């Protein structure tokens, strides 16, 4: 049981730290967009880089911080019936849902990795000016998928402990 606790704690730590790392991008993205709007409407001279930079930052926030949101249970859920179930039944439902989620995330990681490797190999660039490299942008997909995969594993281990023991895992 101690190994499970350590593994869950480690995955939670990774999710929390990556969420914290990309959290600084949100105010930076707002600042970049402010510069773009200011340049466009005050100076009548839009920038060529601000929109692309904001798209990259938004992608990083959305894809990489998802695991931290999952860790905090901050994602959307429909719990009309779920909240009425006993804890062990909820754990069983969580495990069944996790199997589907893990399969989907496996596909995201695999195909996202292929797309990113192609972009790096062929030196693909975004079509908009200033034509930033596409590889780092696409690499966020398997990275985010991997982080979500790991957090799903941690949450599934919690549910498994609840199903088997009837007690919360205190990681």
């Amino acid at each position: 049981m101690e190994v499970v606790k350590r593994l869950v704690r480690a995955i939670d730590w990774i999710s929390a730290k990556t969420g914290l790392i990309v959290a600084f991008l949100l105010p930076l993205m707002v600042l970049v967009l402010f510069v773009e709007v200011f340049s466009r409407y005050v100076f009548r001279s839009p920038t060529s880089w601000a929109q692309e930079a904001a798209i990259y930052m938004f992608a990083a926030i959305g894809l990489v911080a998802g695991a931290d949101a999952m860790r905090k249970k901050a994602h959307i859920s429909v719990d009309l019936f779920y909240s009425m179930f006993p804890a062990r039944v909820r754990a069983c439902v969580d495990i069944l849902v996790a199997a589907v989620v893990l399969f989907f995330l496996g596909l995201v990681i695999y195909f996202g990795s292929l797309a990113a490797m192609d972009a790096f190999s062929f030196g693909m660039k975004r079509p908009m000016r200033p034509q930033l490299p596409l590889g780092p942008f696409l690499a966020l997909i398997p990275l985010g998928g991997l982080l979500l995969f790991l957090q799903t594993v941690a949450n599934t281990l919690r549910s498994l402990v609840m199903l088997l023991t009837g007690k919360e895992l205190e990681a």
Side-chain angles (χ1 to χ4, degrees):
M1 188 63 77
E2 191 59 36
V3 173
V4 172
K5 286 181 182 180
R6 279 193 214 151
L7 179 60
V8 169
R9 204 176 304 133
I11 293 170
D12 283 348
W13 183 85
I14 291 168
S15 294
K17 293 303 175 196
T18 54
L20 192 61
I21 289 168
V22 297
F24 83 92
L25 290 177
L26 189 57
L28 184 60
M29 184 179 75
V30 170
L31 179 64
V32 165
L33 290 172
F34 174 78
V35 167
E36 171 61 18
V37 169
F38 193 80
S39 294
R40 180 175 300 234
Y41 293 106
V42 174
F43 297 125
R44 303 229 187 271
S45 177
T47 65
S48 62
W49 57 269
Q51 184 176 355
E52 286 294 294
I55 288 170
Y56 269 59
M57 287 184 265
F58 185 71
I61 292 165
L63 294 168
V64 178
D68 192 35
M70 183 183 280
R71 177 185 67 85
K72 296 175 183 175
K73 296 186 186 319
H75 56 282
I76 296 172
S77 64
V78 179
D79 62 348
L80 180 64
F81 298 110
Y82 181 84
S83 62
M84 294 188 287
F85 295 150
R88 281 187 160 163
V89 173
R90 285 195 307 264
C92 187
V93 169
D94 289 344
I95 292 168
L96 293 173
V97 169
V100 174
V101 169
L102 289 171
F103 173 75
F104 173 73
L105 289 172
L107 294 175
V108 168
I109 295 165
Y110 178 74
F111 288 108
S113 296
L114 291 179
M117 287 188 290
D118 280 349
F120 280 117
S121 295
F122 298 115
M124 299 166 92
K125 298 194 182 298
R126 297 255 311 145
M128 305 291 286
R129 295 266 178 227
Q131 292 191 320
L132 298 173
L134 193 56
F137 185 75
L138 291 178
L140 293 171
I141 296 169
L143 174 63
L146 178 62
L147 293 168
L148 284 168
F149 190 95
L150 290 172
Q151 192 59 53
T152 302
V153 167
N155 293 349
T156 303
L157 290 172
R158 285 186 178 93
S159 296
L160 191 58
V161 168
M162 171 56 77
L163 182 65
L164 296 175
T165 67
K167 296 177 183 174
E168 295 278 333
L169 178 67
E170 296 179 22

